[in-house]
Amino acid sequence: MDWRIKVELFEQIRREYEFGVGTIKGVARKFGVHRRIVRQAVANALPPRRKSPARKRPKLESAVAFVDAILERDRETHRKQRHTAHRIHERILEELPGCQVSESTVRRYVQHKKEDLGLLARETFVPQSYALGIEAQVDWYEAQADLGGERQTLQVFCMRSMASAGSLHRAFFRATQQAFLEGHELGFRYFGGVFRVCRYDNLSSAVKKILRGREREETARFIAFHSHWKFAAEFCTPGEGHEKGGVEGEQGYFRRNHWVPIPQARDLDDLNEQLLSACREDQGRRIGDRKQDVGPLMVMERDHLLPLAEEGFELGEVCFPIVDSKGCVKVRTNRYSVPLRAGTKVRVMVLPACIEVWHEGKCVARPERCYSRQQAILNLEHYLDVLERKPGALAGSTPLVQWREQGRWPKSYDRLWQSLMKRHGKQAGTREMIELLLLGRQHGYGRLTQAVESALEMGSSDAGAVRYLLTAEDLERPQPELLDVGVLSRYERPLPVLAGYDELLSGEGIQ
């Protein structure tokens, strides 16, 4: 029986006994209950709590000594490497084949036993109050998203204000130091200023070595970063995550409410736009005992933050590799193609999402950063000038293979290429295909693909037809109203060159 219903029944029994029938037997007959219930109601307005009988566990008895020994050894083990009830159940099934006990039985026993051994001691925490603009807490967490239809595990940077409870979440492919610093700058711009103190755990992007107490040997780059932005860094005691409980709780809330179900996005930029919208949506929350929502508190907090630096910190790592004989520069362990001659010294900026290659003050290449090792990231566009002199190298080239894998080489290119080789020979036909690719570099490969597909649909497989379709929109056409009669007479019939193209496009000039 529900507790509330039972309390109401006791109230009716007590009233009937006091002002009605007045006897135990009469009240029991009237309400259809046992006289014991009537006596309990007369004695106390609250029904007695139901006792839970101790259940027997015959199947577990043979494993009790085994479980007790495991838990005793766990008392001398680091807390993050102690057995869970699930792991103990697995070991029972593996090491005690005759003991077929359920996991729920093991779980209940382990719970009580850990409490007896002091392995589940709970701490009491002191509530904290924070002034506006003083402290932010920073941490990473892991989440999954579908980018372009592919499931990927991402590292998410989180910065949370301890006064206003506002937060910024930003996803990266890897939790590198560059991503760590970039997340800070994005967070400062999101909040409209710089917090006086940022609190962290002992992550390797900031801490080189843990010293005695709260002393840390920080990495040189992180020292320069918080010196540039004029904030102080504080670090938690190792293994004491509750010292930055604000950002820990924020991660749990945000994961449950904005990462479930798993987000769908075109790419990482699209996903981060969704995360930013979710952060702004959360500004309508009211957290804890605060008297205002997150959004108005963030507005108030801006007046208490340190001003933003006039210039950002140089986030990327800089190196100066030399272009090798294969047209690549080596960054970390990977090689990236560049459109420069071998032997050229370049300036490379290593950023979280990409690699920027600079030469003579211009960014000549910006490939997506690869986080694997010993990989070659090649762009066919960077080799077109060389292939124009060596057309025979195109068919078996690795850049062409990578373009095919990336979907940048459509089937229409192969159809046109085969037709050109059949018509002009292997070398000459390949050279014409390369010349068309050079036009694509100038006008855009999207327009080149449209021109190739249009020419093939009209039955033409001539490079000149594709070239005409690609550049037709850019041709300067004479305006009739600006010409005199003599000039107009020359345009009464189509020009010979255009007539030739009309024959090509109609298919009549194709051999």
Side-chain angles (χ1 to χ4, degrees):
M1 183 184 294
D2 181 76
W3 173 258
R4 183 177 177 277
I5 296 175
K6 201 168 185 179
V7 171
E8 290 179 349
L9 175 62
F10 268 43
E11 191 270 340
Q12 294 172 9
I13 290 173
R14 289 170 62 85
R15 184 175 295 277
E16 184 64 31
Y17 181 80
E18 186 70 25
F19 305 107
V21 177
T23 63
I24 300 289
K25 185 177 180 180
V27 173
R29 184 181 293 117
K30 181 174 181 178
F31 288 97
V33 297
H34 197 278
R35 285 170 289 179
R36 180 182 64 254
I37 300 296
V38 177
R39 293 190 181 95
Q40 290 175 352
V42 171
N44 196 330
L46 292 175
R49 291 288 184 178
R50 187 172 182 178
K51 295 181 180 180
S52 298
R55 298 180 62 182
K56 295 182 179 180
R57 41 177 189 268
K59 291 186 177 181
L60 183 64
E61 293 302 326
S62 59
V64 167
F66 179 76
V67 175
D68 290 349
I70 290 176
L71 296 178
E72 282 291 344
R73 288 193 296 270
D74 277 356
R75 299 179 71 177
E76 301 175 359
T77 307
H78 190 278
R79 65 181 183 85
K80 291 191 175 182
Q81 289 184 262
R82 292 172 181 169
H83 286 74
T84 62
H86 176 71
R87 180 60 184 140
I88 291 175
H89 179 251
E90 287 182 337
R91 288 192 59 184
I92 290 174
L93 299 181
E94 292 172 3
E95 302 178 33
L96 302 176
C99 183
Q100 299 297 320
V101 63
S102 68
E103 184 173 343
S104 60
T105 302
V106 175
R107 192 178 298 279
R108 284 192 296 269
Y109 180 77
V110 169
Q111 173 77 16
H112 295 307
K113 190 65 179 180
K114 282 186 175 183
E115 290 177 354
D116 295 339
L117 295 175
L119 295 176
L120 292 180
R122 297 184 179 274
E123 295 185 51
T124 301
F125 302 106
V126 180
Q128 301 289 302
S129 297
Y130 298 90
L132 292 172
I134 298 298
E135 182 178 318
Q137 294 182 359
V138 176
D139 201 6
W140 289 98
Y141 66 95
E142 194 174 88
Q144 290 186 330
D146 291 335
L147 302 183
E150 181 180 353
R151 180 69 50 86
Q152 297 201 37
T153 300
L154 304 171
Q155 304 299 320
V156 188
F157 174 91
C158 178
M159 176 182 285
R160 182 183 191 267
S161 166
M162 295 307 297
S164 67
S167 64
L168 175 72
H169 297 252
R170 180 84 175 181
F172 295 90
F173 288 115
R174 295 290 186 277
T176 61
Q177 188 180 60
Q178 294 88 3
F180 178 64
L181 302 183
E182 182 179 319
H184 277 77
E185 293 202 349
L186 293 171
F188 294 152
R189 294 191 181 98
Y190 175 75
F191 286 103
V194 182
F195 296 91
R196 287 167 170 76
V197 176
C198 289
R199 184 177 295 274
Y200 313 86
D201 56 17
N202 300 282
L203 67 174
S204 59
S205 298
V207 175
K208 188 175 181 181
K209 186 177 181 181
I210 299 175
L211 304 177
R212 180 175 295 179
R214 294 190 176 274
E215 296 296 321
R216 303 290 184 272
E217 182 181 339
E218 301 177 28
T219 61
R221 192 163 180 78
F222 184 63
I223 293 173
F225 180 80
H226 66 69
S227 174
H228 176 85
W229 287 97
K230 301 178 182 178
F231 68 90
E234 292 186 358
F235 300 93
C236 299
T237 306
E240 301 293 341
H242 61 268
E243 293 184 5
K244 54 179 180 58
V247 71
E248 296 281 355
E250 168 64 27
Q251 291 172 10
Y253 173 85
F254 199 88
R255 192 199 307 269
R256 291 188 299 272
N257 288 274
H258 300 297
W259 288 95
V260 178
I262 292 178
Q264 310 287 321
R266 296 187 306 273
D267 50 28
L268 189 63
D269 291 336
D270 183 30
L271 175 66
N272 280 320
E273 286 295 326
Q274 296 180 30
L275 296 182
L276 182 59
S277 298
C279 293
R280 290 170 176 160
E281 178 185 332
D282 284 348
Q283 292 180 16
R285 297 169 59 205
R286 181 168 298 186
I287 299 176
D289 57 357
R290 294 172 175 83
K291 297 181 180 179
Q292 291 179 285
D293 294 344
V294 172
L297 284 174
M298 288 179 63
V299 174
M300 293 173 56
E301 190 171 42
R302 287 174 190 164
D303 296 333
H304 299 269
L305 295 171
L306 298 174
L308 295 170
E310 294 182 1
E311 295 183 0
F313 187 78
E314 190 171 278
L315 298 176
E317 293 182 10
V318 179
C319 57
F320 297 89
I322 296 175
V323 182
D324 62 19
S325 60
K326 295 183 178 179
C328 296
V329 293
K330 189 171 183 179
V331 182
R332 301 288 176 89
T333 64
N334 297 319
R335 293 166 45 247
Y336 299 85
S337 66
V338 293
L340 298 172
R341 295 192 178 197
T344 305
K345 190 173 184 178
V346 297
R347 180 177 182 267
V348 172
M349 180 81 71
V350 183
L351 298 171
C354 66
I355 302 293
E356 290 186 353
V357 182
W358 292 78
H359 180 61
E360 295 182 350
K362 295 181 180 179
C363 182
V364 296
R366 200 171 184 269
E368 183 178 326
R369 181 174 175 180
C370 177
Y371 285 95
S372 301
R373 294 177 59 81
Q374 307 297 338
Q375 301 296 311
I377 296 87
L378 309 177
N379 187 345
L380 181 61
E381 185 179 345
H382 297 161
Y383 294 91
L384 293 179
D385 293 329
V386 178
L387 289 171
E388 195 174 16
R389 302 190 305 271
K390 303 177 181 179
L394 175 61
S397 65
T398 305
L400 176 58
V401 172
Q402 292 193 8
W403 263 32
R404 291 185 190 277
E405 293 173 350
Q406 297 166 8
R408 298 185 63 183
W409 186 273
K411 294 182 179 179
S412 57
Y413 284 15
D414 284 321
R415 289 171 54 197
L416 178 63
W417 188 9
Q418 291 297 325
S419 298
L420 291 173
M421 289 192 294
K422 185 176 180 181
R423 188 173 185 181
H424 301 289
K426 185 175 182 180
Q427 187 169 6
T430 301
R431 183 172 279 112
E432 288 205 15
M433 186 68 195
I434 294 169
E435 290 175 358
L436 290 177
L437 293 173
L438 286 168
L439 288 175
R441 184 168 67 181
Q442 177 183 353
H443 298 281
Y445 291 98
R447 288 180 60 181
L448 174 62
T449 302
Q450 291 178 359
V452 169
E453 292 175 351
S454 298
L456 292 174
E457 286 177 3
M458 290 184 283
S460 173
S461 58
D462 186 79
V466 176
R467 189 177 294 107
Y468 172 73
L469 290 170
L470 183 62
T471 59
E473 296 180 1
D474 301 329
L475 295 176
E476 294 185 4
R477 298 184 180 277
Q479 300 293 332
E481 62 273 17
L482 300 179
L483 302 178
D484 57 24
V485 177
V487 175
L488 284 173
S489 63
R490 288 183 292 168
Y491 290 90
E492 292 176 353
R493 290 182 299 174
L495 293 175
V497 175
L498 296 179
Y501 276 114
D502 289 340
E503 293 176 2
L504 287 173
L505 297 179
S506 65
E508 297 175 2
I510 305 299
Q511 301 297 327

